[in-house]
Amino acid sequence: NILASTVNDIKHEVMDSNSGKKFATKEVNFTSSVKLYTLAQCTPDMSTFDCDICLSMAISTLGDGKQGAQSLLPGCNLRYELYPFYNVSAVSIQSELTPPPPPPSSGTILLR
């Protein structure tokens, strides 16, 4: 099921977000001519554990067989549609502008 795998993928993207924003969007081909657009986010102050629980509850309330749905909970929200309901180009540009996280320190000090 494309919808189930996509909402689960986006849940993991939100929790694995290196930016700390706890926000993700995802587009996948639903059919050869239709795209599925998804957006998920948790409030920035939520722990990864609480975000996981909140998004899992949001997913469970979406139901099946709908062309679009949204779940708004106090700490998170999840939405999917068969049309772009967010500014796709703004999200893409923001992703490109977000700097990568610093490399893990190895305990070695480099002097120049």
Side-chain angles (χ1 to χ4, degrees):
N1 180 328
I2 291 173
L3 177 59
S5 66
T6 303
V7 295
N8 280 309
D9 287 349
I10 199 166
K11 177 180 92 164
H12 293 292
E13 283 183 36
V14 168
M15 293 185 314
D16 295 339
S17 171
N18 289 328
S19 68
K21 293 181 181 178
K22 293 193 172 77
F23 170 84
T25 59
K26 188 171 183 77
E27 298 170 38
V28 296
N29 290 328
F30 193 66
T31 66
S32 61
S33 61
V34 177
K35 279 191 175 186
L36 175 68
Y37 298 86
T38 56
L39 179 148
Q41 81 184 109
C42 289
T43 58
D45 61 332
M46 284 187 105
S47 69
T48 302
F49 179 79
D50 289 339
C51 181
D52 181 29
I53 294 198
C54 189
L55 287 174
S56 294
M57 287 193 312
I59 290 169
S60 72
T61 65
L62 291 176
D64 260 346
K66 298 177 185 175
Q67 287 191 357
Q70 182 173 17
S71 180
L72 292 169
L73 298 176
C76 66
N77 101 68
L78 178 69
R79 181 177 176 183
Y80 73 88
E81 300 288 349
L82 297 179
Y83 60 87
F85 60 92
Y86 53 86
N87 187 333
V88 175
S89 59
V91 170
S92 301
I93 290 169
Q94 185 61 39
S95 296
E96 291 170 10
L97 294 177
T98 304
S105 68
S106 62
T108 305
I109 298 173
L110 298 175
L111 300 175
R112 293 185 185 213

